Every structure is written in C-alpha cells, then in structure tokens.
Amino acid sequence: MFEDSLVESSGRIKTKRGLTTFFSFALQVLLLGVLVLIPLIYTEALPKQQLMTFLVAPPPPPPPPPPPPAAAPVKVIKVQTEIVNNEVRAPTKIPKKIEMLKEDEAPPPSMGVVGGVPGGVAGGSMGGVLGGIVGSSLPPPKVAAPQKVRVSSGVVAGNKISGPNPVYPAIAKTARIQGQVVLQAEISKAGTIQNLRAVSGPPMLYQAAIDAVRQWRYKPYILNGEPVEVETTIQVNFTLNGG
C-alpha cells in the first residue's frame, strides 16, 4: 500500500512539472511576440536615423569618360613631277586646262653714281655715304675724353717734375728695416697728388713715403688733346745704404 501511494505521488509530481514547463514556454512565446509586435504598432519608437541610413540609396557611379575623338583620316596626295633626273619628262596625257605663265618685268637699271651703294639715287655722292662724308668739308666729330684713366707706374714716373726724397725714419734705421712701399694715388689734371694711401710694404715706412709723395708734382696727362685725371701706383724704395 505504501508503494502504491509513492507511485501515485510521483505521477502527480511529473504531471505538475509538465504543466509548469508548458506554461513557461507559452509565456516566453507570448512575451517574444509582444516584443516583435510593439515596434510594428508604434513606429515612432523605431530609430529613425538608422532607418534613414538604411533606406537612402548610394550615389550613382560617375559616368565613364567620353571616348577620344577619332583621328582624322590622312589624305595622301601624290604629286607627279615632269622633271626626272634634271630632264623634262614628256607628259603622259594632254591636260584639260593650259595656264600661261607671265614673268614679272625686270626692274629699271640703277641710276646711282659709279662706286656708290647699289640702287642709289641719281646725284648721290661718289663712294656712297662714306664717300660723301669724307668728301664734305664738315670737321670730324670730336670724341670726348674720359674723366679718369689708369696709367702704369712706369709711365707716371717719366712725367714727374719735382718732389723731395723721403726721409728715412730713425726708428726704422735702428731696426734695420728696408724695402719698397707701394702707394695708390690719383694725379689731378694740374699734376698734384690726391687720394694717397699705402697699399703694401713695411708698415713702419708708410708715413715717411706718404709725406714725401704728397709733395711731388707731375706733368698733366694729355688724352685726345685734353688733360685728364690719372689713377696709378707709386713705388718708394727705402735702402739702408742709400738712405
């Protein structure tokens, strides 16, 4: 009897479990259906931004480039010449149209002076333009002399008129210093020294050379009949034996 009661209770338990499982499955299906139907009924709850993104069609592809224009056909024109190997060839057919060639008349002979420019006018000067200038009594144009010229030291030394010898500095004699001092100078139109400066040589002898050369006088340098300023170098030698 006890065993029968156990069998009966276990059967009831199994029946309850089956019903519970069925109701749980039915409830889940119902909830899932509600979740699916709510967006379909209330469309304002759907994300519009994502829906618009999905619904917008992509832009169409760009049109293909037009094909390149077809090349114009090249028409070859065959020209027949009547000259072969520097000889006139006889024509193969009689031309339908004959053209008359008319040559231009030769220009009239020149009436210029013999020895003048070809094609000169009558009454021109003998020898053309140059002959007219040479034969005329007009004086030749005067070329303006430059304001300043550069002359070598040897030429300038030959134009020296007067000037004292440099005084040998005592301190340079004591130090046994000798040599050549080169001065850069400008000689005016009157022959005086200006813009004098030392260029090379023993520095201890610079001032003595400048003091002496500043008093030198030169003949004016004549170019095209007029005196001009001269830019040159002047050399002053200092030797212990000659002072």
Side-chain angles (χ1 to χ4, degrees):
M1 184 176 181
F2 179 73
E3 293 178 355
D4 293 339
S5 63
L6 287 175
V7 171
E8 185 178 356
S9 61
S10 63
R12 291 178 181 176
I13 292 172
K14 288 180 179 180
T15 303
K16 288 182 179 180
R17 286 181 178 176
L19 292 174
T20 304
T21 302
F22 174 76
F23 282 119
S24 175
F25 179 75
L27 181 61
Q28 291 178 5
V29 171
L30 180 61
L31 291 175
L32 184 60
V34 170
L35 293 175
V36 173
L37 291 175
I38 286 175
L40 297 178
I41 297 172
Y42 302 98
T43 55
E44 62 273 4
L46 297 176
K48 296 182 179 180
Q49 187 67 26
Q50 295 182 1
L51 290 177
M52 293 299 294
T53 303
F54 294 147
L55 293 177
V56 174
V74 179
K75 186 178 180 181
V76 179
I77 301 175
K78 188 176 181 181
V79 179
Q80 294 183 354
T81 177
E82 302 299 335
I83 300 175
V84 178
N85 296 330
N86 295 327
E87 295 181 357
V88 180
R89 184 182 61 179
T92 56
K93 60 180 181 178
I94 300 175
K96 296 181 179 179
K97 184 178 181 182
I98 300 176
E99 296 181 358
M100 298 296 293
L101 298 178
K102 184 179 180 181
E103 298 182 355
D104 295 336
E105 296 180 359
S110 174
M111 300 299 293
V113 179
V114 178
V117 180
V121 298
S125 300
M126 180 67 68
V129 177
L130 295 178
I133 295 177
V134 173
S136 64
S137 59
L138 296 176
K142 189 175 182 181
V143 180
Q147 296 296 324
K148 185 185 298 184
V149 295
R150 185 169 184 83
V151 181
S152 64
S153 58
V155 175
V156 170
N159 290 343
K160 181 181 176 182
I161 299 175
S162 63
N165 293 328
V167 178
Y168 212 118
I171 188 171
K173 279 187 177 182
T174 305
R176 308 291 297 175
I177 295 175
Q178 61 182 351
Q180 185 183 75
V181 177
V182 179
L183 304 176
Q184 183 77 31
E186 292 181 5
I187 303 176
S188 66
K189 296 179 181 181
T192 58
I193 298 293
Q194 56 189 12
N195 297 331
L196 188 64
R197 61 186 180 88
V199 177
S200 63
M204 194 173 292
L205 302 174
Y206 280 1
Q207 192 59 44
I210 292 174
D211 291 342
V213 173
R214 187 178 284 119
Q215 304 176 51
W216 291 2
R217 295 293 179 268
Y218 290 86
K219 293 187 295 183
Y221 190 82
I222 305 300
L223 183 64
N224 295 333
E226 294 183 2
V228 294
E229 294 182 357
V230 172
E231 184 178 352
T232 185
T233 56
I234 299 175
Q235 292 139 6
V236 182
N237 296 317
F238 290 86
T239 56
L240 292 173
N241 55 358

